[in-house]
Amino acid sequence: MTKGEDIFRKIISHCKEYGFIFPSSEIYDGLSAVYDYGQNGAILKNNIKDYWWRSMVQYQENIVGIDSAIFMHPTVWKASGHVDAFNDPLIDNKDSKKRYRADVLIEDHLEKLNEKIEKDVVKAAKRFGDSFDEAMFRKTNPRVLENQEKIENINRRFVSALEENRLDDVKALIEELGIVCPISGSRNWTDVRQFNLMFSTQMGSLSEDTNQIFLRPETAQGIFVNYLNVQKTGRMKLPFGIAQIGKAFRNEIVARQFIFRMREFEQMEMQFFVKPGQEMEWYDYWKQERLRWHLALGIPAEKYRFHDHEKLAHYANAAADIEFEFPFGFKELEGIHSRTDFDLGAHQQYSGKKLQYFDPETNESYVPYVVETSIGLDRTFLAILSFAYREEKLEDGSERVVLSIPPVLAPIKVAVLPLVKKDGMPEKAREVFDRLKYDYMCQYDEKDAIGRRYRRQDAIGTPYCITVDHQTLEDNTVTIRERDSMKQDRIAIDEIAQVVARRIDIRPVS
Ligand code: GAP
């Protein structure tokens, strides 16, 4: 087991042990790639939503938020292209009987070639020391150039095969690259087939008038079909955005990696409507703006990187992912897409209703272009936990597991703990708890020795523990312990709310 796999396994069991995430319907042995959020997970998830909503809607004058229905008219998905093109190419290994996404197998192979290049660069940097010219090395080193050329050739062939739906060539490429099944180690592959990812159900009670409808695979279409409603009722002027948070459903072929790839998940999406021709400017703007949002949480910049798409979705003319370094490597966390006028144009055509903007500056009507930011709520949750989970050896030789969740997102902000369960301390601690609970999510805990109670709070990421001790009874002061440094200060009870507010505050990123 690699170090990353070991950490990932520990994070999954920590999530279960401390009430963050449970397998769905666990008493019936669970349901593949579906999860429930427990008492701490639900609050963390809400805090992430709140952080996103405030940054995208509350702090921006020209973005409004909506909440559209999961069920939509079936023609929506025809117009959006999802009925015809929302497919994953899948391939089975005949020996292990395991199913894979063909594009993921090839992308993993490309990543290995990339890693070889990076290793050569690191080695050379060590060998040449201060005189190392990295740019020159990448341009001239024969091994780097050879691997770079391989990557480009594979990419070219793979992208055109997928775009032109030549699935036999995708299979041929997998065979030629010698890609083996990670389970059986064999190259005994089936043909590649397309598989539509949308879940469907029936609406209506009588068989003769039932309609097949889909569970939305993205929240974005609820925004597109409401474009005119919002623009008119909100008297919005271009450029403006519509944001929403909601459930999405995809029948993922390869559902693994815990909450990274789920069949029911939540998205936080924003469609930014712009004048045609200005989309690339806004695309670059939103790429940087969204990265700033992530960095404002205090997670180090090296945990994030951009990945520009070679193969574009059917609606996009430019697309990039913000990738995060999960324990299993850098993977997509958020997508920023320039979606052109594809969606509004298609809905206009299929519905027969004009979805245009009258530009008072030019006296023209046109279909706006759209730049989208789309982030998975569950993936953000996993990214935060992957960053936050730490096993530490303390000075006294003991160990602790701490979740260094950014304080603004932590499920419980303050734990109130009487030092001992006597001498009036529990009563005083309850008084403190009752004062703080209107401002913050607090927990009162009097069971076990104080050290064990601190450990319990560390394990759920509580940034501040307030301890009521003998001195409290004399002078109305308490200790406030900070989770990461474990440093304790003494402050007046009257100051607690203010001190905590100061420490959990992060200024808006806009
Ligand atoms: N509206 C555009 C769209 O849906 P996407 O790249 O397919 O684009 C956007 O999805 C984000 O949704 C991803 O970056 C990811 O964070 C999240 N996401 C997609 N599929 C997911 C899944 N099966 N489980 C969890 N999150 C998922």
Side-chain angles (χ1 to χ4, degrees):
M1 186 183 295
T2 64
K3 198 165 160 239
E5 284 167 349
D6 183 43
I7 293 284
F8 191 38
R9 197 179 44 80
K10 285 179 176 162
I11 291 172
I12 296 171
S13 63
H14 192 87
C15 277
K16 175 143 186 242
E17 192 179 339
Y18 287 93
F20 283 90
I21 298 173
F22 307 122
S24 161
S25 340
E26 195 185 6
I27 56 170
Y28 295 100
D29 297 331
L31 184 65
S32 172
V34 186
Y35 290 92
D36 296 338
Y37 285 82
Q39 65 278 21
N40 290 318
I43 309 177
L44 174 53
K45 208 174 162 198
N46 279 337
N47 291 349
I48 299 171
K49 286 193 213 182
D50 183 54
Y51 173 51
W52 185 87
W53 189 267
R54 278 189 291 129
S55 313
M56 299 301 272
V57 179
Q58 186 176 331
Y59 304 151
Q60 315 266 351
E61 275 179 45
N62 58 348
I63 301 182
V64 292
I66 64 164
D67 183 11
S68 69
I70 287 172
F71 292 147
M72 300 182 76
H73 193 284
T75 313
V76 166
W77 305 109
K78 189 75 194 146
S80 69
H82 284 82
V83 169
D84 297 320
F86 195 54
N87 300 320
D88 272 349
L90 66 87
I91 189 166
D92 292 55
N93 183 270
K94 291 182 193 161
D95 298 317
S96 66
K97 309 270 183 277
K98 287 277 169 209
R99 181 162 290 176
Y100 299 92
R101 271 175 56 178
D103 54 333
V104 171
L105 286 179
I106 294 170
E107 272 162 10
D108 286 350
H109 182 86
L110 290 172
E111 187 55 32
K112 280 188 196 137
L113 290 174
N114 221 358
E115 279 167 15
K116 277 190 192 165
I117 295 177
E118 295 311 313
K119 262 193 197 148
D120 281 340
V121 172
V122 171
K123 255 203 241 155
K126 265 196 199 145
R127 202 167 58 238
F128 294 113
D130 287 345
S131 63
F132 182 58
D133 179 344
E134 183 179 328
M136 182 58 77
F137 180 80
R138 285 182 188 272
K139 261 196 252 159
T140 53
N141 180 271
R143 246 211 333 246
V144 169
L145 289 178
E146 190 190 325
N147 279 324
Q148 196 55 49
E149 195 184 338
K150 275 189 198 163
I151 291 176
E152 280 158 22
N153 286 340
I154 296 169
N155 242 328
R156 210 170 303 124
R157 182 162 155 203
F158 157 59
V159 169
S160 73
L162 278 183
E163 275 175 0
E164 290 156 27
N165 207 20
R166 283 184 284 103
L167 299 181
D168 50 344
D169 201 35
V170 177
K171 181 183 181 189
L173 188 57
I174 289 175
E175 286 172 340
E176 282 166 39
L177 295 174
I179 295 176
V180 298
C181 164
I183 308 284
S184 67
S186 91
R187 298 175 189 180
N188 196 5
W189 297 109
T190 62
D191 286 343
V192 178
R193 281 164 296 145
Q194 291 287 20
F195 178 81
N196 193 287
L197 298 183
M198 282 198 294
F199 283 104
S200 67
T201 186
Q202 305 295 323
M203 187 174 261
S205 54
L206 297 170
S207 57
E208 58 271 25
D209 61 25
T210 56
N211 255 328
Q212 186 194 31
I213 56 165
F214 298 100
L215 274 71
R216 65 180 179 198
E218 61 169 13
T219 60
Q221 297 305 325
I223 294 178
F224 288 122
V225 298
N226 278 297
Y227 156 75
L228 213 52
N229 286 335
V230 174
Q231 194 269 322
K232 291 237 177 298
T233 57
R235 292 182 293 119
M236 309 297 290
K237 298 240 175 315
L238 288 192
F240 75 92
I242 306 178
Q244 88 164 319
I245 300 176
K247 290 266 185 184
F249 304 83
R250 295 182 190 178
N251 196 2
E252 298 283 358
I253 308 165
V254 188
R256 60 191 155 119
Q257 292 171 317
F258 192 39
I259 56 168
F260 181 80
R261 197 175 300 288
M262 301 158 89
R263 294 201 164 107
E264 173 182 339
F265 58 100
E266 258 177 285
Q267 290 185 317
M268 304 188 285
E269 298 201 299
M270 193 276 296
Q271 312 301 128
F272 200 68
F273 299 90
V274 304
K275 192 172 175 172
Q278 295 184 350
E279 71 276 13
M280 291 319 284
E281 201 181 301
W282 284 109
Y283 169 71
D284 290 336
Y285 171 84
W286 280 110
K287 267 175 81 172
Q288 297 311 324
E289 193 63 14
R290 291 304 304 148
L291 184 62
R292 282 210 304 141
W293 181 87
H294 291 278
L295 297 179
L297 286 173
I299 300 177
E302 58 269 23
K303 288 270 170 198
Y304 298 91
R305 71 180 187 195
F306 282 115
H307 167 77
D308 293 315
H309 282 208
E310 299 273 343
K311 180 185 180 304
L312 295 172
H314 58 274
Y315 48 70
N317 70 354
D321 295 335
I322 295 177
E323 294 188 337
F324 181 80
E325 190 178 18
F326 291 97
F328 39 84
F330 272 99
K331 296 274 176 218
E332 174 185 348
L333 173 59
E334 169 156 14
I336 295 103
H337 311 121
S338 171
R339 290 180 78 131
T340 66
D341 58 353
F342 175 87
D343 302 87
L344 287 181
H347 288 308
Q348 182 169 263
Q349 188 191 335
Y350 275 81
S351 68
K353 310 269 163 35
K354 269 199 172 167
L355 297 177
Q356 302 196 345
Y357 177 74
F358 175 74
D359 192 331
E361 281 169 22
T362 59
N363 275 339
E364 285 174 309
S365 287
Y366 49 78
V367 178
Y369 269 42
V370 170
V371 174
E372 166 187 73
T373 71
S374 173
I375 178 169
L377 174 56
D378 313 84
R379 269 190 208 178
T380 309
F381 189 111
L382 183 59
I384 285 161
L385 276 198
S386 306
F387 159 75
Y389 182 89
R390 251 160 246 173
E391 293 171 347
E392 288 181 355
K393 238 195 163 67
L394 305 180
E395 274 172 11
D396 64 3
S398 65
E399 286 175 10
R400 72 165 181 163
V401 171
V402 57
L403 291 186
S404 293
I405 298 173
V408 67
L409 300 180
I412 307 295
K413 299 283 188 267
V414 181
V416 183
L417 318 168
L419 182 63
V420 288
K421 219 161 66 175
K422 56 182 185 185
D423 301 338
M425 286 182 223
E427 292 76 9
K428 190 76 188 169
R430 283 225 177 264
E431 249 177 59
V432 173
F433 174 85
D434 283 336
R435 273 176 71 170
L436 289 175
K437 72 183 180 190
Y438 297 105
D439 293 323
Y440 303 110
M441 199 65 214
C442 298
Q443 223 171 53
Y444 174 85
D445 187 7
E446 60 177 27
K447 281 191 217 95
D448 301 320
I450 190 75
R452 285 187 68 178
R453 280 180 276 160
Y454 285 152
R455 291 290 163 276
R456 276 204 290 269
Q457 295 300 329
D458 290 343
I460 60 168
T462 307
Y464 303 107
C465 288
I466 301 291
T467 304
V468 168
D469 56 14
H470 290 100
Q471 197 176 324
T472 313
L473 307 176
E474 285 161 21
D475 63 6
N476 265 335
T477 62
V478 291
T479 62
I480 179 165
R481 171 189 181 269
E482 198 274 329
R483 175 195 66 201
D484 297 344
S485 63
M486 294 183 285
K487 217 173 126 273
Q488 299 195 21
D489 295 324
R490 185 162 279 279
I491 58 172
I493 288 175
D494 287 343
E495 285 178 313
I496 302 174
Q498 232 183 339
V499 169
V500 173
R502 224 175 18 244
R503 295 189 187 179
I504 64 170
D505 185 35
I506 48 168
R507 286 287 106 189
V509 285
S510 68

